[in-house]
Amino acid sequence: MKVLGIETSCDECSAAVVADGEKILSNIIATQVPYHAPWSGVVPEIASRKHTEWIYSVVKEAIEKSGLTVKDINAVAVTNRPGLMGSLLVGLSFAKAFAWASNIPFIAVDHMLAHLYAPRLIGSEQLTMSNGDRVGYPFLGLLVSGGHTIICRADDFDNITVLGTTIDDAVGEAFDKVAKFYNFGYPGGMIIDKMAQKGDNKAFRFPVPSLHKGDHRYDVSYSGLKNAVINQLDLFKVKADYTNEDIAASFQKTAVAILLRALLNAVEDTGLTTIVAGGGVAANSLLRAKLGEQKKLRCIFPPLELCGDNGAMIAGIGYHYLVRGEHSPLNTTPSARVTGFKKRYP
Ligand code: KG4
Ligand code: ZN
């Protein structure tokens, strides 16, 4: 079964064709980075206008590159949540029109579920064990992006229980805000990651929030760290002569340590030792290295090109709804927030 997946939740305009929920036939990702860079952040109005301009050609290219024609597409899956409303509306409306015109099923997808699904796409060999079996549920999910920081238990592709989340800023947002404040460039996360490799991560001793008790054991907080880096640099200085790279390295070290502590608490309490990471921040090299050092854990990261927003993960997860015979009505609306995740403190 060939599913067309469309993703326009933020600043990537993406469409892909995926066969049987696993094999990527095409995955076009048109990034709007140069249009948002002058503002060091995503400008929602620009994002939705660019999606409107690009969506037709991006979908056309995805179908052409897949070697198929419109008639070969069996269903359309699209992100309808969470994201920027104007951006979501472009992809959602296009997908509905495509489905209606082609008389094929239409499936609206929560793209945070899709981030957790991304490693299951072929190309993610880490999911295949030496005996050929695939990693199964349940596992612990680490969803880390510009808008979300979620530690969860996944019992199926759409059965997610949130164990912990951020009580204020998302981890990706902290990377972006620090980069913006110091004019490191845009997009912030990737640039800080690169700069940190040349910096001294002991130049500053930034504070780690004390969220380690009771219901907060799996929660994280980034506004304190962000404020310390932006407004109180001198207070946490260990080294007199420091560079921008030192700021980046010390910030990144603390940001990753905060995530790890909450995640390891969840490992300890649930006994789950397989971690699947997803979202833009899953591309972070220190996070990958630190999780890789945890010998008792099996850590699965999507390939770098599938960490950020992309149509392939949407098409992939859409297939599983189809297999269950589930479609969405053509009056489905977008939502800025994640919906349908359960919340539970084990
Ligand atoms: O999932 P994503 O593409 O979009 C959504 O937010 O949904 O994630 C984007 C976020 C941004 O905050 C970006 O700075 C961050 O992912 N990011 C990184 C890295 N690459 C992207 N953060 C840290 N290290 C990276 N290498
Ligand atoms: Zn995303």
Side-chain angles (χ1 to χ4, degrees), residues 106-130:
F106 157 79
I107 304 126
V109 170
D110 184 318
H111 99 269
M112 298 313 285
L113 290 181
H115 274 306
L116 278 186
Y117 184 83
R120 308 190 90 80
L121 296 161
I122 282 179
S124 314
E125 282 82 11
Q126 304 163 76
L127 272 186
T128 308
M129 296 184 275
S130 50

Side-chain angles (χ1 to χ4, degrees), residues 40 175-184 226 229-231 233:
S40 302
F175 273 89
D176 295 337
K177 293 272 164 62
V178 166
K180 181 172 179 172
F181 182 83
Y182 287 107
N183 282 322
F184 289 165
K226 182 187 75 181
V229 179
I230 291 178
N231 299 318
L233 210 51

Side-chain angles (χ1 to χ4, degrees), residues 211-280:
L211 282 171
H212 48 276
K213 294 190 199 110
D215 283 355
H216 282 308
R217 265 173 72 72
Y218 324 117
D219 285 338
V220 295
S221 159
Y222 282 98
S223 84
L225 173 63
K226 182 187 75 181
N227 261 312
V229 179
I230 291 178
N231 299 318
Q232 299 169 305
L233 210 51
D234 277 346
L235 213 58
F236 299 102
K237 189 169 65 180
V238 175
K239 193 167 143 188
D241 283 332
Y242 59 82
T243 63
N244 281 343
E245 283 74 14
D246 295 342
I247 300 176
S250 305
F251 160 74
Q252 179 173 270
K253 183 179 84 172
T254 314
V256 169
I258 293 171
L259 263 188
L260 273 185
R261 191 181 61 180
L263 184 66
L264 294 179
N265 284 344
V267 169
E268 194 180 316
D269 296 358
T270 61
L272 296 175
T273 52
T274 299
I275 317 283
V276 174

Side-chain angles (χ1 to χ4, degrees), residues 111 115 145-147 172-173 175-176 187-190 193 279-281 283-285 307-309:
H111 99 269
H115 274 306
S145 71
E173 187 185 346
F175 273 89
D176 295 337
M190 215 163 64
D193 193 349
V281 184
N284 185 265
S285 60
C307 281
D309 295 334

